Amino acid sequence: MTGVAATGTALAGALVLVGCGGSAASGAELSVGASYMPQPVSADMAAGFLTITNKGGTKDELTSVTSDSAGDITMHETNGGAMEEVRSFEVPAHGQLVFKSGGNHLMFEKLKHRPEQGDTITLKLKFAESGPLTVEMPVKSATYNPSTGH
């Protein structure tokens, strides 16, 4: 019986440690994919699209986007066909924030030079809780339609 009791105690201790590790890892776990900028038709303005994935157990909030390629980058949502600037977007726990054509998107204003297909734009995404993420956004053709649907 002593061996069974010792094994039970060791197992209970291991479960407590796993529980502690799980709670420490339950914050936001952010990554970015599917980023692109359609080659702009205007010399000073462009749109950008990407997906932010949060595999963590806590939501976060995208609060700003910056790039040395643009004087200003604003975030927009589209409601009923109308584009509206927003200050932040929630990135849900165990979810995604999707920026796609006809929906949420980034607007690059006061471009320092007109990006051409094949160029790459470097962005810095800033969040309310997590550290910043640097993203390399490729410039695609103006008619590019990603297979992911955004």
Side-chain angles (χ1 to χ4, degrees):
M1 292 296 251
T2 315
V4 171
T7 302
T9 302
L11 183 58
L15 291 174
V16 168
L17 289 175
V18 168
C20 288
S23 65
S26 66
E29 296 176 30
L30 305 174
S31 63
V32 177
S35 69
Y36 75 99
M37 171 189 284
Q39 182 174 319
V41 294
S42 165
D44 63 346
M45 189 178 292
F49 309 104
L50 52 85
T51 298
I52 302 171
T53 301
N54 182 358
K55 292 185 178 179
T58 303
K59 70 179 179 178
D60 205 337
E61 190 175 353
L62 177 64
T63 57
S64 69
V65 181
T66 59
S67 173
D68 290 341
S69 299
D72 194 24
I73 301 176
T74 54
M75 299 182 289
H76 294 93
E77 62 184 6
T78 304
N79 292 315
M83 182 175 79
E84 181 179 326
E85 185 175 340
V86 296
R87 292 197 164 283
S88 65
F89 278 104
E90 182 177 304
V91 185
H94 304 293
Q96 293 184 322
L97 169 59
V98 177
F99 290 86
K100 64 181 181 177
S101 182
N104 300 335
H105 59 279
L106 302 174
M107 288 302 301
F108 294 75
E109 300 169 25
K110 302 175 198 152
L111 290 171
K112 302 204 174 150
H113 76 278
R114 184 177 171 195
E116 300 288 333
Q117 185 176 342
D119 290 349
T120 301
I121 306 298
T122 302
L123 309 176
K124 184 174 274 189
L125 308 180
K126 295 180 184 166
F127 299 90
E129 301 297 326
S130 302
L133 290 176
T134 300
V135 176
E136 298 296 319
M137 178 175 276
V139 179
K140 303 288 188 175
S141 73
T143 59
Y144 177 71
N145 187 14
S147 60
T148 59
H150 59 273

